[in-house]
């Protein structure tokens, strides 16, 4: 199955947003260490874990929503697929 340009853009947006969240979290830890503040690593690691889990749940919700839309749109009982017989009718 070939990806359309919309699907490619959606995938790029999702993965780039996850990368930005990860980089932002790492930079916050680095800059907090430079300011002379005490950094509790386990707290920062759990904070990063929760942020990434929120991103994963958002991506999962988008994928599930797309899956439901596709199943609903292309179901067999859709009115567009009724009476497809073009052979000329009954014998």
């Amino acid at each position: 199955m070939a990806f359309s340009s919309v699907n490619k853009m959606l995938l790029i947006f999702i993965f780039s947003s996850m990368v930005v969240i990860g980089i932002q979290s790492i930079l916050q830890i680095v800059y907090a260490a430079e300011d002379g503040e005490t950094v509790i690593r386990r707290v920062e690691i759990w904070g990063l874990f929760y942020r990434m889990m929120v991103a994963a749940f958002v991506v999962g919700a988008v994928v599930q929503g797309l899956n439901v839309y596709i199943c609903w749109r292309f179901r067999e009982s859709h009115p567009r697929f009724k009476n497809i017989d073009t052979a000329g009718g009954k014998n």
Side-chain angles (χ1 to χ4, degrees):
M1 180 175 143
F3 286 118
S4 67
S5 62
V6 175
N7 289 340
K8 288 180 185 177
M9 292 300 292
L10 183 64
L11 286 174
I12 290 170
F13 174 74
I14 291 171
F15 288 130
S16 63
S17 63
M18 291 178 64
V19 168
V20 167
I21 290 172
I23 291 173
Q24 178 187 12
S25 300
I26 292 169
L27 288 176
Q28 285 179 354
I29 294 170
V30 169
Y31 285 126
E34 286 181 357
D35 292 340
E37 298 175 11
T38 303
V39 177
I40 303 172
R41 289 184 182 169
R42 64 181 169 85
V43 173
E44 294 296 330
I45 290 171
W46 277 108
L48 178 61
F49 171 74
Y50 286 129
R51 283 186 187 168
M52 295 305 284
M53 286 303 295
V54 167
F57 277 114
V58 168
V59 170
V62 168
V63 169
Q64 282 299 100
L66 187 63
N67 195 7
V68 167
Y69 169 75
I70 290 172
C71 289
W72 183 258
R73 175 74 172 87
F74 297 106
R75 66 191 188 276
E76 290 183 8
S77 63
H78 195 279
R80 185 180 70 185
F81 297 119
K82 297 215 177 186
N83 298 328
I84 296 179
D85 183 25
T86 60
K90 299 179 183 176
N91 290 335

